[in-house]
Amino acid sequence: MATDRLFSRRARVGRVLCPLLLGVWVVGAAAGTGEGDVAERIRALRAEAKAHEHGEGVARDGDKAAKLYCEAARLGDAESQYSLGWMYANGRGVPRHDPLAAYFFRLAAGQGNAHAERMLRFVGEPMAEKPECLKDPDDPDGK
């Protein structure tokens, strides 16, 4: 009889504590480091940029595509860095600018993008100064 009461008490405590602990774990995991939020932001920016670059479901707008790609590139997205390089190397929706293309290809190549590495042979030396869109808006020096 005492064993039944002990087991039943443990069961009650388990029914209360398990959901509570699970809730704490879920909230903690959701808060995390924000890496999932950044990755999702990058995916959304890249998808919207591609749509504007190619005119898929929206009007083709090279300037808007470049701005969106650049925001994702500033967050470290190698695919967006490559896409910007491609746009500037080919004058696709933006004025052709080989040094700017080389800058973006070099960023993407530095992250292991093999296509960007190959494209560097065709566009020459990258510009020395960081492109405006890559500068941190919260940094008063613009670095």
Side-chain angles (χ1 to χ4, degrees):
M1 189 83 128
T3 311
D4 290 340
R5 278 185 285 152
L6 181 61
F7 178 75
S8 140
R9 182 169 183 239
R10 284 184 182 163
R12 282 193 309 263
V13 169
R15 282 194 304 266
V16 171
L17 282 181
C18 283
L20 179 63
L21 292 174
L22 180 61
V24 168
W25 179 79
V26 168
V27 168
T33 60
E35 288 177 17
D37 294 340
V38 172
E40 184 56 39
R41 177 80 176 133
I42 287 171
R43 279 191 290 280
L45 288 166
R46 190 183 328 124
E48 188 178 353
K50 278 184 183 181
H52 284 286
E53 179 186 2
H54 300 288
E56 296 170 352
V58 296
R60 182 176 279 175
D61 186 341
D63 287 333
K64 176 124 179 149
K67 286 176 185 165
L68 292 164
Y69 277 136
C70 203
E71 188 175 341
R74 188 170 54 77
L75 295 172
D77 183 43
E79 187 176 332
S80 294
Q81 293 163 353
Y82 174 80
S83 294
L84 273 168
W86 182 262
M87 288 179 73
Y88 284 109
N90 293 288
R92 183 175 173 87
V94 294
R96 184 178 173 143
H97 193 299
D98 284 350
L100 188 53
Y103 190 96
F104 288 114
F105 285 144
R106 175 139 317 145
L107 287 177
Q111 294 192 65
N113 186 304
H115 296 295
E117 183 71 38
R118 284 193 293 281
M119 287 302 295
L120 281 169
R121 292 180 285 189
F122 302 105
V123 292
E125 289 298 311
M127 57 190 279
E129 187 176 324
K130 182 187 274 191
E132 195 64 36
C133 71
L134 290 180
K135 293 180 180 174
D136 186 352
D138 296 328
D139 184 358
D141 296 328
K143 295 181 182 177

